[in-house]
Amino acid sequence: QVQLVESGGGSVQAGGSLRLSCAASGDTYSTYFMAWFRQAPGKEREGVAFIYTGTDDTYYADSVKGRFTISQDNAENTLYLQMNSLKPEDTAMYYCAARTALGWFAYVSRWSRSDEYNYWGQGTQVTVSS
């Protein structure tokens, strides 16, 4: 059992920065694969960034490469998403997700699929104005 709680969202102007946090509790030793997703009204949830916590291997959506950085603090059981150079199209609810099963060797090609994750946070709103 894993609980995920996001925080750090808010309203910023284009070009600004935000740092999202995802605090994990429960059986945190099993959160081997974690990711950030986002969902805008009327749109499907899309993968933004991914990290394999065992090696710090990371992947990003093309739309955020060079602007967003995913990282982890193992001591605090916290996942972060540093978002720089924000654009209005980044406006969405941002969700933290975790996959606890081992042996997911296909993560390189499947990390951005929402149905691959079995734990989700409640979301935090990010609004970017122009």
Side-chain angles (χ1 to χ4, degrees):
Q1 183 69 29
V2 176
Q3 296 81 44
L4 304 173
V5 179
E6 303 97 331
S7 62
S11 299
V12 299
Q13 293 184 336
S17 299
L18 283 174
R19 189 190 192 193
L20 306 184
S21 298
C22 173
S25 60
D27 298 330
T28 57
Y29 65 89
S30 64
T31 54
Y32 302 108
F33 308 95
M34 301 193 73
W36 286 97
F37 285 75
R38 66 186 181 187
Q39 186 170 24
K43 298 182 179 180
E44 294 188 352
R45 196 167 296 186
E46 64 172 341
V48 176
F50 166 91
I51 185 168
Y52 171 38
T53 60
T55 63
D56 282 343
D57 193 20
T58 60
Y59 292 91
Y60 297 90
D62 289 340
S63 60
V64 307
K65 285 182 179 178
R67 300 188 298 120
F68 291 10
T69 302
I70 188 171
S71 62
Q72 62 176 333
D73 185 332
N74 291 330
E76 299 295 331
N77 293 318
T78 303
L79 182 74
Y80 298 101
L81 184 66
Q82 178 66 47
M83 305 185 294
N84 298 325
S85 302
L86 284 163
K87 304 175 181 179
E89 50 262 46
D90 294 320
T91 296
M93 283 289 294
Y94 283 71
Y95 299 88
C96 176
R99 177 184 171 110
T100 58
L102 280 172
W104 191 29
F105 300 108
Y107 69 83
V108 175
S109 60
R110 300 182 66 86
W111 68 267
S112 61
R113 296 173 177 263
S114 61
D115 58 0
E116 293 281 8
Y117 299 84
N118 52 335
Y119 291 99
W120 292 86
Q122 83 289 346
T124 185
Q125 178 68 39
V126 172
T127 302
V128 184
S129 62
S130 59

